[in-house]
Amino acid sequence: MTIQETLSLLDHLNPMVLFLLFYVENGLIAIVGITIGFWADGNFKTMLGKISKTEVLWTLSTVFFNSIVTLAGYELFKHQVVIFDFELRPLNVIIDFILLVASMDLLMYLFHLVIHRISFVYKYHDLHHHYDKPTPISLFVLHPVEVLGFGILWLILISTLSFSFVATIIYLIFNVVMGLIGHLEKEFIPDVIKHNKYLKWFATTSFHRDHHTDEGCNYGFYTSIWDRLFGTWQQKEI
Ligand SMILES: [Zn+2]
Ligand SMILES: [Zn+2]
């Protein structure tokens, strides 16, 4: 069965059932991601003791609003506002993946910078900054306005071009992985990558942790390119 045939099975489901399906999918992504994050930090056995009830409730809320974004994306796809390229051509997949990462990196840098600079919207982002020493679950402690803001940015981007479906799925996995790397307690990126002249542009654990301790720097998500370019980059070690 092709990817298109699999997706067409969803056509027959009513929106409520679809939403529940996406809620389970996003919930599993959160559970697996948080568990791997605590495991990477060496805290797998003690993870339940490190998670508060408030963090669990915010995570359930983020999963809920992420599922609304997923459902909106599916409806846009169904009505051909979002059009995917289902051909499996390796070069196209690679180019589209790079394009998605580069575009979202710039858009999210600007979005993040703006929400820090405008007090009216910062009050929504403040919730995430309640954690100056984040753990993997902090990635999901987000106000619904912020979740929907990032989601709308994403939906606008995938409506503009016909991206490869496979590249889009790889990008979505990359997005969760990079989010988790930024919210670990210990540096995940080895020195050999951090100091490599080609790879040093990628965001590290300390890059985003520094943003939690000093909100005046490091607004990027996947790379430090825009922070270096616009003078908001700082490097400390954890
Ligand atoms: Zn921030
Ligand atoms: Zn964060």
Side-chain angles (χ1 to χ4, degrees), residues 112 125 128-129 131 134 138-139 142 179 182-183 208 211-212 221:
H112 194 188
H125 184 53
H128 184 66
H129 278 286
Y131 302 88
S138 315
L139 173 63
L142 298 168
H183 293 87
H208 190 71
H211 174 67
H212 276 265
F221 283 90

Side-chain angles (χ1 to χ4, degrees), residues 65-91:
F65 287 98
N66 271 339
S67 305
I68 290 180
V69 174
T70 313
L71 183 63
Y74 175 74
E75 290 297 330
L76 291 174
F77 165 71
K78 201 171 149 185
H79 294 91
Q80 296 183 334
V81 178
V82 170
I83 298 167
F84 289 116
D85 171 8
F86 288 97
E87 292 284 326
L88 234 178
R89 286 165 296 195
L91 189 62

Side-chain angles (χ1 to χ4, degrees), residues 4-199:
Q4 280 155 295
E5 284 166 351
T6 311
L7 284 175
S8 70
L9 294 177
L10 302 178
D11 285 353
H12 311 292
L13 302 176
N14 76 52
M16 204 58 196
V17 176
L18 262 180
F19 178 79
L20 284 174
L21 206 66
F22 293 144
Y23 195 90
V24 171
E25 177 218 343
N26 283 300
L28 283 174
I29 291 170
I31 292 169
V32 171
I34 292 164
T35 307
I36 291 175
F38 276 101
W39 172 78
D41 265 337
N43 294 327
F44 177 68
K45 286 182 182 164
T46 53
M47 69 178 269
L48 291 181
K50 284 177 164 265
I51 295 173
S52 71
K53 194 178 159 191
T54 313
E55 287 171 315
V56 172
L57 291 174
W58 278 118
T59 300
L60 290 173
S61 155
T62 297
V63 169
F64 179 89
F65 287 98
N66 271 339
S67 305
I68 290 180
V69 174
T70 313
L71 183 63
Y74 175 74
E75 290 297 330
L76 291 174
F77 165 71
K78 201 171 149 185
H79 294 91
Q80 296 183 334
V81 178
V82 170
I83 298 167
F84 289 116
D85 171 8
F86 288 97
E87 292 284 326
L88 234 178
R89 286 165 296 195
L91 189 62
N92 281 26
V93 172
I94 294 167
I95 291 171
D96 282 5
F97 173 71
I98 294 171
L99 213 58
L100 285 169
V101 171
S103 311
M104 281 307 283
D105 196 40
L106 173 60
L107 288 173
M108 293 204 296
Y109 170 83
L110 295 172
F111 182 81
H112 194 188
L113 184 72
V114 165
I115 57 180
H116 269 274
R117 299 290 155 92
I118 302 174
S119 58
F120 169 69
V121 274
Y122 178 75
K123 65 181 180 197
Y124 300 111
H125 184 53
D126 188 37
L127 170 71
H128 184 66
H129 278 286
H130 183 68
Y131 302 88
D132 55 354
K133 288 185 176 57
T135 68
I137 197 169
S138 315
L139 173 63
F140 296 91
V141 179
L142 298 168
H143 192 281
V145 169
E146 191 172 359
V147 179
L148 293 176
F150 279 119
I152 289 168
L153 219 56
W154 165 245
L155 294 177
I156 291 173
L157 177 66
I158 57 169
S159 302
T160 55
L161 282 174
S162 172
F163 290 104
S164 150
F165 184 77
V166 174
T168 306
I169 298 296
I170 298 172
Y171 163 79
L172 290 172
I173 296 167
F174 172 83
N175 176 50
V176 176
V177 170
M178 289 305 285
L180 285 167
I181 287 175
H183 293 87
L184 295 179
E185 289 183 61
K186 293 176 192 151
E187 180 58 83
F188 182 77
I189 307 296
D191 279 351
V192 64
I193 291 180
K194 279 169 87 170
H195 301 125
N196 179 288
K197 64 177 176 176
Y198 300 111
L199 299 174

